Amino acid sequence: MDALLAALADPARRRLVSLLAERPRPVGVLARLADARQPQTTKHLQTLERAGIVTSQRTGQRRIYALRPGPLRELAAALSRLADAADQVGGPHTTYDRYGLGVHTERLAAQEPGWADDRSFTFHRSLAGRPELVWRHLTETALLARWWTPDDLRVCELVFEARPGGRIVQEYRDAEDIGDSDPVAGRAEGVVVDVSPGERLAYRLSPLLPDGRLAFTAHIDIDLRPTGAGTDLDVRWRMTDSAVESADFVAGIEIGFGQSLDKLASTLAAAPHDDTNGTDTNGTDTNGTDTDSAGRADGTARTDTRSAT
């Protein structure tokens, strides 16, 4: 395919292909119709022939060139598959387009500080697993790192001290930026407000603008209720302190946090639901004590998740 695309990259060669699509033609006629010199036309035809797009045969003193439609059909099919993949309903490109529309709308609305204050969002998910297990995924950093970003991002640093007044830090990168070659995609800092294990969690979290100022402050309240099939999770998200420059962040809240909760639901659906005691596979015990690579426990839920992700 590379040779095919390279051969078709030249406008003069594409013109020859168009002429040969009508009927086989000799070099001299092709040169005249393409308004080109015959030696140049011959070189272009030879390139097309090496790529398999055209074929030729000598008839008396003339060489006649003809188009081979098979390679073009194969190229068209390959390009069509790429287009179909990008056009998949509900796929990444759909999310990208939806976010773009949201950014445009929010930028128009962001005219002065406080423009989005008291904007609120609600989320609900019915989750597999008992509230104790869900609570661990909400408060233990090794488990938080598995789901607490949208689909195209990954946590690269995470601090979550699950106690009133505890510190929160969330830093994330593109999911495919394993070598940290691109700038950090975002960073947020906050504080835990209320903790009722297995029942309620409240915290404040503020995404940071590139200059370090707060984009806004999100006041997040999470309630857990046991059900016969697992746990109902209800999230209330309210904003204050919104800066004019926060429009791009605001546009992504509903999409991004919704994707994160979907990842939480998938993670719990695949988890051993009876594992509410002991130590999980990331070395975190159920009391919220993280053990670092040296085997040291500090009694907090703080970690750098570079190795966890």
Side-chain angles (χ1 to χ4, degrees), residues 54-305:
V54 304
T55 185
S56 69
Q57 62 183 11
R58 184 168 291 281
T59 302
Q61 298 298 316
R62 302 186 306 165
R63 179 167 289 277
I64 308 297
Y65 282 86
L67 188 66
R68 298 182 67 240
L72 293 180
R73 287 199 178 96
E74 292 172 4
L75 176 61
L79 295 176
S80 181
R81 287 192 294 271
L82 291 176
D84 289 344
D87 202 33
Q88 181 180 359
V89 176
H93 287 268
T94 301
T95 301
Y96 178 85
D97 292 340
R98 180 184 168 197
Y99 174 68
L101 291 173
V103 166
H104 177 71
T105 300
E106 301 297 1
R107 285 178 179 176
L108 290 176
Q111 298 298 316
E112 58 185 20
W115 67 279
D117 286 6
D118 292 326
R119 181 86 64 88
S120 62
F121 302 87
T122 58
F123 303 87
H124 174 82
R125 295 293 187 278
S126 294
L127 304 173
R130 298 190 298 275
E132 293 85 353
L133 181 62
V134 176
W135 181 260
R136 291 182 56 201
H137 283 77
L138 294 175
T139 58
E140 295 181 15
T141 52
L143 300 178
L144 263 172
R146 299 180 185 179
W147 67 269
W148 204 21
T149 59
D151 291 343
D152 58 344
L153 299 173
R154 67 175 176 89
V155 174
C156 58
E157 182 181 355
L158 182 59
V159 175
F160 196 100
E161 298 172 342
R163 54 178 174 76
R167 190 166 67 100
I168 305 173
V169 175
Q170 182 194 35
E171 188 171 275
Y172 42 92
R173 293 182 177 272
D174 189 281
E176 296 178 332
D177 182 20
I178 304 302
D180 296 350
S181 57
D182 278 351
V184 170
R187 182 180 176 89
E189 298 177 356
V191 61
V192 176
V193 176
D194 189 22
V195 175
S196 297
E199 297 179 359
R200 182 175 185 270
L201 177 66
Y203 57 88
R204 297 191 301 271
L205 191 65
S206 299
L208 303 184
L209 296 168
D211 62 6
R213 291 182 298 124
L214 302 185
F216 60 82
T217 298
H219 302 259
I220 301 167
D221 290 277
I222 303 174
D223 289 319
L224 292 79
R225 297 190 312 278
T227 66
T231 302
D232 275 354
L233 182 79
D234 288 291
V235 182
R236 296 177 301 281
W237 180 304
R238 181 177 62 87
M239 281 188 293
T240 60
D241 310 318
S242 51
V244 172
E245 299 88 346
S246 67
D248 293 6
F249 292 86
V250 174
I253 291 173
E254 191 167 14
I255 297 173
F257 197 69
Q259 287 183 344
S260 296
L261 291 179
D262 290 341
K263 289 169 66 175
L264 171 61
S266 297
T267 299
L268 286 165
H273 299 152
D274 59 348
D275 181 17
T276 55
N277 296 297
T279 302
D280 75 0
T281 57
N282 288 279
T284 306
D285 72 27
T286 58
N287 296 316
T289 302
D290 285 358
T291 304
D292 65 17
S293 59
R296 181 182 62 229
D298 64 5
T300 70
R302 179 186 306 179
T303 188
D304 182 331
T305 63

